[in-house]
Amino acid sequence: MAQDTSKEPLLYRLEDIIQKYGGRAVLGIDSLAIASKSIIGLVGHNGSGKSTLLRILAFLEAPAQGKVFFQGKACCTRQDWVRRKVTLLPQEPYLLKRSVEANVAYGLRVRGEDNRPDKAREVLDMVGLCPEDFVRRSWHELSGGEAQRVALAARLILKPQVLLLDEPTTSLDAESTRRIKEASLAARTHWDTTLVVASHDMAWLESICDKILTLEGGRLTIS
Amino acid sequence: MDYIFKGFVEAISLLSSGHAETYSAIWVTLQVSSMSIVGSLVIGTPLGFLLGHTTFPGKAPLRVVVDTLLSFPTVVIGLLVYAFLTRRGPLGEFGLLFTLPGIAAGQIILGLPIVVAMTATAVENLDMRLKSTLLSLGAVPRQVLLTTLWEARFSVMLAAMAAYGRIVSEVGISMMVGGNIKWHTRTITTAIALETGKGEFSMGIALGIVLMLIAFAVNLSMCGIRKRVG
């Protein structure tokens, strides 16, 4: 059980969550609360359930059992409004087969927002990619680190209420790692974004997190 | 052999002189095949997306049915459409028999399984991360559909061209539903069949050349798209 003692209002509350893949339980959380504007670290071995928990928090998959409350309301994957407040950066992000600018601005486009090119330039700058060099580049002209930063920019442009990061710096060079760490924290600074970060980088998590949760075999063991 | 060579020479003459009957068949073919491919894509692309994107009970048997329909004989489609459109048939009141929309209805049935099956395969072969990426960026289901089809655009275009190739070269539906009426529903393929039966090789060859050029253009486009798809 992981209760939140923060003074900020509760953003997430998970109750009796069980997730199963092919009949096998991969995640079991009795109770978890996450406060607004907090930074939560998530650690655990590969296959411990970190990505599953993040996908449930992102409302991309529904748990087999249990309830997820967001801002006090029981929410599910079919509710578009809640998915527009939360965004997940996976470990190996997918870029659409179009230009960098179109990738970054996609989330704004589906929301019908204006001034997308300027906003795309702002967030590219935030992740350390020179807008003039990158906006017109195609998705296949990027290195792994650049693609990861473009994917993060596509999330940051949304000014999300919650940013979920699934091992965002795995297999990246030092420069890309530094830029991603800085840009993620900037979201918290500028827009009070709640961050949930799954990572094996304990030193980083300990330096930024309000709380670190450990998953072992799909169960929260330490908070 | 001499008559074949002579047929070729006369065919070139018919095409270069703008022979009205020949060009009528070409124009009718282009009109009806355009209607058919548009109909097949409008109906087939969303169905292909649903078949490839979603999971539901009975999906596997449905895939088998769609794949079986890929080899639906054109004369059987012609027979079925004729039965529905004839004056005594359930759709007889619309007066579509021996009209271009009537032929198009049959050709849509011919092209539909190709578009559905190939679009479904294209969507199934897309990266597994696409859907969750779109949802995580805030796309609603309609936007997920459109963006997914856009991501699979080269494969969907390949499906369109494969369907067009089958539609433009079929003869059974055009003959049975269109009736091969001169100046009205006579297409390239039905004209070739008729003229060859009459021993008029030159017009048959002229129309055959046009049909081959259309097929060549479609194949050339498919090669280009295949390269882009990788």
Side-chain angles (χ1 to χ4, degrees):
Chain A
M1 186 182 289
Q3 295 301 339
D4 197 275
T5 52
S6 163
K7 286 176 185 166
E8 291 294 341
L10 268 190
L11 189 63
Y12 279 104
R13 188 158 56 84
L14 276 64
E15 284 182 2
D16 305 319
I17 295 292
I18 294 175
Q19 184 61 308
K20 292 177 179 177
Y21 294 149
R24 190 176 64 88
V26 293
L27 190 69
I29 295 175
D30 298 332
S31 174
L32 171 63
I34 295 174
S36 201
K37 303 174 193 175
S38 58
I39 302 181
I40 305 296
L42 209 52
V43 294
H45 299 296
N46 292 336
S48 60
K50 300 189 297 294
S51 298
T52 305
L53 176 56
L54 288 177
R55 288 178 60 80
I56 288 172
L57 292 175
F59 299 98
L60 292 177
E61 66 179 61
Q65 283 177 47
K67 282 187 174 171
V68 181
F69 294 88
F70 186 83
Q71 293 179 323
K73 294 178 191 134
C75 292
C76 69
T77 54
R78 286 189 299 276
Q79 288 165 307
D80 296 329
W81 70 268
V82 71
R83 275 194 293 97
R84 289 196 163 183
K85 290 177 182 287
V86 184
T87 187
L88 167 70
L89 179 71
Q91 191 178 341
E92 290 178 10
Y94 177 87
L95 292 184
L96 301 172
K97 293 181 177 69
R98 24 187 117 176
S99 70
V100 165
E101 184 181 279
N103 264 286
V104 173
Y106 180 82
L108 291 185
R109 198 161 71 84
V110 297
R111 287 163 173 80
E113 289 193 22
D114 299 327
N115 205 17
R116 298 194 292 265
D118 289 343
K119 288 176 181 170
R121 281 175 160 75
E122 268 175 42
V123 287
L124 279 173
D125 203 34
M126 228 173 134
V127 295
L129 296 174
C130 176
E132 281 69 35
D133 292 343
F134 280 89
V135 281
R136 291 194 205 295
R137 275 204 210 176
S138 194
W139 59 280
H140 57 78
E141 295 173 322
L142 302 171
S143 70
E146 288 165 349
Q148 186 81 347
R149 284 195 260 168
V150 167
L152 179 60
R155 274 79 184 165
L156 293 178
I157 201 170
L158 307 173
K159 299 182 180 174
Q161 195 168 349
V162 184
L163 177 60
L164 307 162
L165 303 169
D166 191 358
E167 301 187 28
T169 58
T170 306
S171 71
L172 295 187
D173 60 32
E175 172 65 7
S176 291
T177 300
R178 183 178 68 83
R179 292 290 192 171
I180 282 174
K181 286 176 176 178
E182 284 176 2
S184 309
L185 290 178
R188 155 81 179 268
T189 310
H190 297 325
W191 311 308
D192 287 335
T193 298
T194 303
L195 296 178
V196 182
V197 188
S199 177
H200 296 295
D201 187 346
M202 273 306 285
W204 180 46
L205 292 183
E206 281 173 353
S207 69
I208 62 163
C209 290
D210 301 312
K211 186 161 67 175
I212 296 177
L213 308 174
T214 303
L215 272 167
E216 254 183 47
R219 298 231 153 237
L220 282 179
T221 55
I222 306 165
S223 66
Chain B
M1 283 299 285
D2 192 40
Y3 71 95
I4 297 176
F5 179 73
K6 207 176 144 194
F8 264 104
V9 174
E10 282 180 27
I12 302 297
S13 162
L14 283 175
L15 288 173
S16 57
S17 66
H19 183 249
E21 197 181 331
T22 306
Y23 277 91
S24 163
I26 294 169
W27 175 236
V28 165
T29 301
L30 292 177
Q31 271 182 289
V32 77
S33 59
S34 301
M35 277 191 260
S36 307
I37 194 64
V38 169
S40 296
L41 287 173
V42 167
I43 302 169
T45 311
L47 290 177
F49 171 83
L50 286 176
L51 193 59
H53 191 74
T54 55
T55 309
F56 52 88
K59 180 179 172 174
L62 187 61
R63 258 332 270 267
V64 173
V65 170
V66 171
D67 290 346
T68 306
L69 291 177
L70 288 172
S71 52
F72 211 165
T74 57
V75 284
V76 177
I77 298 174
L79 177 69
L80 286 172
V81 175
Y82 185 97
F84 272 80
L85 298 186
T86 191
R87 199 174 290 276
R88 289 178 299 164
L91 303 175
E93 62 185 290
F94 295 108
L96 289 173
L97 196 62
F98 306 133
T99 64
L100 296 189
I103 303 175
Q107 290 183 342
I108 287 170
I109 296 172
L110 180 69
L112 207 51
I114 300 171
V115 174
V116 172
M118 288 182 73
T119 303
T121 304
V123 169
E124 279 169 352
N125 289 341
L126 284 172
D127 197 300
M128 298 281 284
R129 297 166 297 169
L130 172 63
K131 185 180 176 185
S132 56
T133 297
L134 300 181
L135 289 172
S136 191
L137 291 174
V140 298
R142 180 181 55 82
Q143 292 162 332
V144 171
L145 182 151
L146 292 175
T147 308
T148 302
L149 288 177
W150 184 249
E151 287 295 291
R153 58 194 177 276
F154 298 122
S155 302
V156 173
M157 281 163 71
L158 215 55
M161 286 178 182
Y164 188 77
R166 182 111 205 267
I167 284 168
V168 82
S169 59
E170 71 80 26
V171 63
I173 298 165
S174 302
M175 189 71 88
M176 294 175 80
V177 181
N180 197 18
I181 303 166
K182 194 174 176 181
W183 309 113
H184 183 49
T185 59
R186 183 165 296 170
T187 63
I188 291 177
T189 52
T190 59
I192 291 174
L194 181 79
E195 299 301 327
T196 307
K198 282 159 50 182
E200 294 287 340
F201 288 106
S202 52
M203 192 172 161
I205 291 171
L207 291 170
I209 289 171
V210 174
L211 201 57
M212 290 302 291
L213 284 175
I214 293 172
F216 180 69
V218 168
N219 271 317
L220 207 63
S221 311
M222 279 175 82
C223 286
I225 288 170
R226 269 208 193 96
K227 263 188 194 166
R228 291 206 64 171
V229 174

